[in-house]
Structure formats: C-alpha cells, structure tokens
Amino acid sequence: MKTQPIPPSFLKQFRNLIHNGKNFAVIAHFRPDGDALGATIAMGGALHFLGKQVTMLNEDAVPSNLKFMEGSESIIRTVDYADRPDAIIVLDNGDIKRIGIPGMALIRDNVPAPVSVNIDHHETNNRYADLNCIIPEECSTCAILYHLFLALEIPLSPAMRDALYIGISTDTGSFQYERTTPEVMEIAADLLRQGVNVHDINRKLYQEIPWKKLMLNREVLNGIHLNAAGRVASFSLTRDCKNRLGVTEDDTDGLIDILRSIEGVLLAIFLEEMDNGKIRISLRSKTPAVSVSEIASRFGGGGHAMAAGIRMSCPIEEARAKVLPVLEEAVSLIS
Ligand SMILES: [Mn+2]
C-alpha cells in the first residue's frame, strides 16, 4: 500500500489538539450522504475510544435509507446542541455554509471560539478552518479517516469499520467512479478482513428501494430531455411532482444516476425545486474533458470534477435556461 497521504504537519497538530481537548463536536455537510454520516460516526467513535466527550451533529436528520448505520441514532440536530466544545471537527464539507447556520454559529459565536478542523476531499474546499486536511485525490472523507486512524493507531470498532466502508462504497458509486484506485480496493479489503459484511451492507444500501422512490424513477424516465445531439441529459423535478408522489427531499438522491447512465451522454443536469423554493442543481460529467466543478463555480456552486452542485434562487425553468446552455457549449468543444 502506498505511504499514508495525511500531511505530517496536520497529523502533528491534530494529535496535539486531540490530546489537549476534552469536549469535541463532530459535524458534516447538511443533507448528509453515506460519506458524511460514515465520517461523522467514525470520528465520533475514534474520539470516544480516546476517552473524549464527543457529540455528533448534523443540520438535518439522518435520511431514512441510512438509518440502519450503527451510531447514526446518536447524531443530534445542530440546533438542539447547547454545549461549548473545545474543538469542532468538520468532515466531508467543502464550504462552511454547508454545515448550516446553527453549525456556523457554533464556530463563530462562541467565546472563546472552539478550534475548528476541516477534513475533506472536495477539490473546491476553501480551507475555512484553523486546521485543514484537504486531499482531493482521495475518493471519500472516510478513506482519509481510514489513513488518519491508522497513523494515530486508533483501532476500528465494528460501527466505525462499517461506517468507513459505507462512506467509501457510496462516494465511489459502489466502486465504479474514477477515484476507485488500487488503494481504495486495498482499504476495502482491509475493512472486509476486519469483518465488514458486504452482502448485508450492500443489500441495505442498494437493494431496498421504497416503492414511491421507484415511482419517482418512472417520472424521471418519462421526463428526460436530451440535448446537444444526445450528449447532455436533463431533468427538472418540481415541488408539484414531489407532492403528488408523496416523496421528500430525502428520496431524490441518486436520481441523476439515471441520466448519467444513458449511452452517449457526457454531461447530466438534475434540477430540483426544494421545499424552501430554492433550486438545487446536480451536475455530473462522464468525461475528464469537462469539469462540472468548474461550471458549478461560475454559478456560486462547487464540488468535484465529475460531480458538482449549485443552489439558485429563481424559478426552476429560469435556472435550467441559465445552466443548460453552458453544458451544451462545454460538450460542443469536445471533438
Ligand atoms: Mn464525500
């Protein structure tokens, strides 16, 4: 296995921080996915092992499809947290705004302010914390934590082990995406040797689709648009449609994979009207020739080269009319 990727300076500072602190808060981005929750649970477990007081937080509730994760039941909503931690560890979060307003208040309004730590793999991460460990080459924050715990000689409890595996599996699209390197497979192999039940976890992650979600998939299949000679796929999900099917914002994750999976499609855009009226836009690229993170950043969004997102405050058709031409132009430049 290649040498561990954590910068020695971060390792040293992080070790001191953990040694000197007693009370920690751990948080990841809102609308948490498998990597955000996996990293939260694993870091919570590590601090617990070291005898620290630790509270796991998130702006949002754990989505129903990930409630099976052991430890997720101990994650509380940030708004319900009234303690003053010595340090707050922010995980899998590229932009400070994505921990939510109560989380930001925790960092900014406490006197003295807790030390903030930022461990992440988003390439657009702007290093907003006192201590930053950003490794865009890693497939997931959970992979970074795997290396971190190894370097710090922190053993994995079964809950931590499963959490890391789930973060790596979900952020690589179950070991399909570009960053599924030999090193990723070696981490997965080690976690399996330590006892991960792959069959059980995969069934819970990928083979328990609620009926209403399947009906939502049908809606997407009926409404896909292809542009730029079949190289750009798009779909707009309105609040009306979600209300009609009885689905929530939790149920819409992963729908963009349907668009991305179409033969010949290079770029996919999924627009969703949220409960608060804002538009959430997900972008995917299937070609290294186009970075959707670069396109997203033109609209104030961010993410990775192959997967990025934007939020806009305008009608959904207006958002589509703004972003779609940029994607069409981007594919037109590919030979
Ligand atoms: Mn991630």
Side-chain angles (χ1 to χ4, degrees):
M1 200 178 277
K2 72 170 184 188
T3 49
Q4 68 87 11
I6 314 284
S9 57
F10 174 83
L11 206 52
K12 190 173 165 216
Q13 288 175 292
F14 186 73
R15 192 183 267 129
N16 285 340
L17 175 78
I18 301 298
H19 183 76
N20 295 326
K22 285 192 186 75
N23 185 3
F24 294 83
V26 179
I27 192 168
H29 63 77
F30 53 45
R31 287 178 58 91
D33 56 14
D35 192 30
L37 292 173
T40 302
I41 292 167
M43 181 59 80
L47 292 167
H48 185 72
F49 168 80
L50 296 169
K52 306 297 175 178
Q53 190 184 330
V54 50
T55 311
M56 300 186 290
L57 305 170
N58 201 279
E59 162 97 349
D60 293 316
V62 175
S64 50
N65 63 317
L66 294 170
K67 281 197 174 128
F68 75 89
M69 291 177 75
E70 188 186 338
S72 67
E73 70 286 348
S74 305
I75 299 173
I76 65 166
R77 304 285 287 269
T78 318
V79 71
D80 297 328
Y81 180 70
D83 209 354
R84 287 162 178 254
D86 301 318
I88 176 163
I89 302 175
V90 186
L91 300 162
D92 196 41
N93 184 71
D95 181 331
I96 188 72
K97 292 199 228 54
R98 284 176 49 82
I99 61 172
I101 289 165
M104 287 162 70
L106 192 60
I107 294 178
R108 288 178 184 165
D109 299 348
N110 263 322
V111 181
V115 180
S116 57
V117 183
N118 168 14
I119 303 176
D120 186 29
H121 68 124
H122 291 88
E123 65 190 19
T124 50
N125 192 302
N126 56 7
R127 312 180 76 88
Y128 47 78
D130 301 318
L131 254 182
N132 300 280
C133 176
I134 316 303
I135 312 181
E137 296 76 26
E138 292 293 329
C139 69
S140 57
T141 301
C142 280
I144 300 176
L145 293 189
Y146 172 87
H147 293 295
L148 180 66
F149 298 158
L150 210 58
L152 296 174
E153 298 180 339
I154 296 171
L156 303 182
S157 68
M160 290 165 69
R161 171 202 71 198
D162 287 1
L164 291 181
Y165 182 84
I166 288 166
I168 292 166
S169 174
T170 52
D171 255 28
T172 57
S174 56
F175 304 97
Q176 295 180 66
Y177 300 157
E178 203 191 13
R179 288 201 179 87
T180 310
T181 57
E183 288 77 24
V184 170
M185 292 303 202
E186 277 158 0
I187 295 172
D190 185 37
L191 295 173
L192 259 61
R193 273 187 209 102
Q194 294 192 45
V196 165
N197 184 334
V198 176
H199 168 74
D200 185 54
I201 285 182
N202 280 319
R203 184 179 57 75
K204 288 170 179 161
L205 277 180
Y206 305 117
Q207 297 166 18
E208 294 286 351
I209 304 170
W211 179 252
K212 64 181 180 181
K213 172 125 195 204
L214 207 64
M215 292 302 101
L216 186 55
N217 289 357
R218 181 167 73 175
E219 205 70 37
V220 174
L221 291 174
N222 276 330
I224 296 173
H225 285 275
L226 290 179
N227 296 72
R231 300 208 283 181
V232 177
S234 63
F235 181 81
S236 300
L237 182 62
T238 61
R239 264 189 292 188
D240 283 350
C241 177
K242 283 192 280 186
N243 291 340
R244 179 161 47 80
L245 295 173
V247 297
T248 65
E249 290 171 3
D250 278 359
D251 300 310
T252 61
D253 283 339
L255 286 176
I256 194 168
D257 294 334
I258 299 174
L259 310 188
R260 171 173 38 198
S261 68
I262 302 165
E263 181 182 17
V265 164
L266 296 178
L267 299 178
I269 173 171
F270 186 90
L271 301 104
E272 176 179 357
E273 198 177 1
M274 310 296 281
D275 294 340
N276 63 12
K278 288 198 175 177
I279 309 302
R280 183 173 79 118
I281 302 172
S282 304
L283 300 169
R284 297 290 183 272
S285 172
K286 276 161 80 177
T287 168
V290 179
S291 161
V292 284
S293 148
E294 192 271 318
I295 291 173
S297 65
R298 286 194 232 168
F299 296 96
H304 308 287
M306 310 301 254
I310 309 168
R311 280 184 189 231
M312 282 189 180
S313 302
C314 63
I316 192 163
E317 281 314 313
E318 197 179 315
R320 178 183 155 88
K322 278 180 186 159
V323 185
L324 191 58
V326 179
L327 300 183
E328 291 177 307
E329 197 206 334
V331 289
S332 74
L333 299 173
I334 307 171
S335 52

